[in-house]
């Protein structure tokens, strides 16, 4: 993780997901935008396992207090996202 911008109104973090590495589930502490910087594939595991494909430039929204699924990068390369949090 690398902090790109951090001020009272917004925090931007570059997150790198390595192949095969598991990101544990957590409760989102803020509203969040996620910008995919690379094409990627990953498994999102909550009640069931969903295989997800995202393209570079895609943007998704997550509300505060949402339970984030376990994520596993199923690709052969790392992929990067920008996590934009609005406290």
């Amino acid at each position: 993780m690398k902090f790109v911008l951090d001020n009272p109104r917004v925090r931007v973090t570059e997150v790198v997901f390595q192949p095969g590495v598991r990101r544990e589930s957590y409760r989102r502490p803020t509203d969040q935008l996620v910008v995919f910087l690379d094409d990627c594939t990953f498994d999102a595991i909550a009640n069931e396992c969903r295989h997800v494909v995202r393209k570079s430039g895609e943007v998704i929204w997550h509300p505060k207090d949402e339970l984030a699924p376990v994520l596993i990068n199923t690709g052969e390369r790392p992929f990067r996202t920008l996590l934009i949090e609005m406290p």
Side-chain angles (χ1 to χ4, degrees):
M1 259 192 329
K2 174 176 119 183
F3 290 104
V4 177
L5 175 69
D6 192 2
N7 67 43
R9 298 186 64 166
V10 67
R11 177 182 306 130
V12 180
T13 309
E14 182 179 333
V15 181
V16 178
F17 293 89
Q18 296 295 332
V21 174
R22 178 184 177 103
R23 184 208 67 194
E24 294 301 327
S25 178
Y26 70 100
R27 182 112 6 229
R28 297 183 195 280
T30 62
D31 288 335
Q32 300 176 345
L33 285 172
V34 179
V35 180
F36 290 85
L37 300 177
D38 303 301
D39 293 349
C40 61
T41 60
F42 56 89
D43 286 341
I45 305 165
N47 294 331
E48 59 186 47
C49 181
R50 288 185 313 118
H51 187 69
V52 181
V53 176
R54 296 283 184 199
K55 295 292 183 189
S56 175
E58 282 190 57
V59 179
I60 58 175
W61 166 262
H62 295 290
K64 180 180 178 177
D65 294 326
E66 177 184 61
L67 185 60
V70 169
L71 289 185
I72 301 173
N73 177 355
T74 57
E76 295 180 5
R77 295 186 219 175
F79 71 87
R80 300 167 300 136
T81 65
L82 287 181
L83 175 62
I84 302 166
E85 299 177 274
M86 287 128 314

